[in-house]
Amino acid sequence: MNAESAGTQGERVLEEVSEAVIVDDEVLRTILMGFLARGHVLLEDVPGTGKTLTARSFARAFGLKFKRIQFTPDLLPTDITGTNVFDEQAGSFEFSPGPIFANVVLADEINRASPKTQAALLEAMEEGQISSDGETHPLPEPFFVLATQNPIERGRGTFPLPAAQKDRFLVKTSLGYPSEAGERELLERREARTEQTQRVEQVLGTDEIAALQTAPETVRVDDDLKAYVVAAVRATREEPRVEVGVSPRGCQRLFEVVRAYAALAGRAYVTPDDVQAVAVPALAHRLVLTADASIEDETGADVVRDILAELAVPGVHAEP
């Protein structure tokens, strides 16, 4: 599938999902971009903003298996990945898959689980598999994690995500509160009672999904754009407000996100505007700020925006 077709198919998915959820279109596009780039998305939102409905709506639009995992302090790694169960008739142990064996997994309030349980997701998110008692079990294809955390309850029964866990998320975004018109529509849907949520229909088949995820590979990134991406990443490591900058993995992920963004726009080439549009959701959550920066209420997003403002912007080459 080429970029133009990917843009058309992506718009079909976004139109279908937006019929069911009251969420800003750019946020939905960011989530779809994460899926398109074969990555995972972290949502930081207060309760009641429609995170579960959004994740389920994307799964239905793709016709994929959906599972929701509610993370709690007493949740064990095996509660997520599964465990070996003894089969009395066969006289042997058989692996019983956990809820992570789905195509779209909502890891709800991931920061409520202990670091040990959070770590159970690392192998799954990076390698698309889990290990149990020395055996490796591949996860379904495609595999997409949409995790959420509550920004207002840090320190109260929560465990901050370690840098290694954050680095596994391709992008971080927020659904946010709906607009006034959107909130009015929520009331009107509630008043109807007969159908509180719109039914999302499947838009793409299995083959179309696989083709859609290969579309970013066809997007051209000129050498000066690659240099622009590398310069932005390396600048985070030299920034005084940053204790730990973006890793080489983060640099690759930014490259992948940029190509996915261009593909969703129906373009076969990347522009500087693409880099600027995705840099904050792709990089900000990977930064570890200094104590002084945190005291001054600086954020990773502030740092990334300042870096982009100082970098020389390359030109656009529509033709190779």
Side-chain angles (χ1 to χ4, degrees):
M1 182 182 294
N2 59 28
E4 183 178 354
S5 297
T8 301
Q9 299 287 42
E11 287 302 324
R12 290 177 60 203
V13 173
L14 291 174
E15 288 176 8
E16 186 66 26
V17 172
S18 63
E19 288 294 322
V21 298
I22 309 298
V23 177
D24 184 76
D25 289 343
E26 281 306 308
V27 176
L28 295 180
R29 188 175 298 276
T30 299
I31 295 173
L32 179 58
M33 180 177 64
F35 178 84
L36 194 65
R38 303 174 188 270
H40 310 286
V41 175
L42 177 62
L43 296 178
E44 188 170 76
D45 273 295
V46 297
T49 52
K51 299 181 291 293
T52 301
L53 178 59
T54 299
R56 184 179 289 113
S57 296
F58 271 107
R60 286 177 175 169
F62 287 125
L64 298 174
K65 182 179 180 181
F66 170 78
K67 286 288 186 179
R68 177 180 177 272
I69 306 174
Q70 180 62 56
F71 280 68
T72 57
D74 60 348
L75 191 72
L76 298 176
T78 52
D79 293 332
I80 299 173
T81 60
T83 187
N84 286 317
V85 178
F86 185 72
D87 187 335
E88 295 184 359
Q89 294 183 344
S92 61
F93 284 92
E94 290 187 1
F95 180 71
S96 177
I100 200 171
F101 282 81
N103 300 112
V104 179
V105 176
L106 175 63
D108 207 7
E109 296 186 289
I110 187 175
N111 57 332
R112 285 193 176 279
S114 68
K116 182 178 181 180
T117 301
Q118 289 179 17
L121 287 175
L122 289 176
E123 181 184 13
M125 294 172 64
E126 185 66 20
E127 302 178 35
Q129 64 181 34
I130 64 99
S131 299
S132 177
D133 292 339
E135 293 186 1
T136 299
H137 304 276
L139 292 168
E141 284 283 350
F143 176 67
F144 177 60
V145 174
L146 188 62
T148 73
Q149 61 178 0
N150 188 338
I152 63 173
E153 293 187 351
R154 290 173 180 165
R156 292 182 287 179
T158 63
F159 303 87
L161 296 182
Q165 184 75 65
K166 288 182 180 179
D167 207 33
R168 294 319 195 269
F169 288 102
L170 191 70
V171 292
K172 176 185 174 184
T173 187
S174 171
L175 298 183
Y177 292 113
S179 64
E180 182 177 353
E183 208 144 17
R184 177 70 177 268
E185 185 175 346
L186 285 174
L187 294 183
E188 290 173 352
R189 290 184 183 183
R190 180 65 176 175
E191 185 179 35
R193 291 282 182 180
T194 55
E195 189 176 347
Q196 295 178 13
T197 59
Q198 299 289 330
R199 176 72 182 179
V200 175
E201 301 296 334
Q202 181 175 345
V203 174
L204 302 180
T206 304
D207 292 340
E208 291 173 308
I209 293 171
L212 184 64
Q213 289 190 311
T214 63
E217 304 293 330
T218 69
V219 174
R220 191 184 79 253
V221 185
D222 292 329
D223 288 344
D224 53 355
L225 265 298
K226 293 176 185 175
Y228 188 48
V229 167
V230 170
V233 168
R234 294 182 68 83
T236 66
R237 304 169 192 164
E238 301 170 0
E239 167 63 48
R241 292 170 289 177
V242 176
E243 186 174 324
V244 180
V246 176
S247 68
R249 179 193 287 117
C251 185
Q252 296 175 64
R253 296 297 182 262
L254 175 58
F255 180 74
E256 293 165 358
V257 173
V258 165
R259 292 199 297 179
Y261 186 87
L264 281 179
R267 270 187 285 103
Y269 60 92
V270 167
T271 70
D273 288 343
D274 297 334
V275 179
Q276 294 165 6
V278 304
V280 170
L283 299 181
H285 66 289
R286 304 178 192 274
L287 302 179
V288 178
L289 302 186
T290 63
D292 289 342
S294 298
I295 292 173
E296 294 295 326
D297 289 330
E298 296 274 7
T299 66
D302 294 330
V303 171
V304 173
R305 292 191 188 101
D306 290 346
I307 287 173
L308 291 176
E310 295 175 1
L311 289 178
V313 180
V316 179
H317 307 288
E319 297 297 331

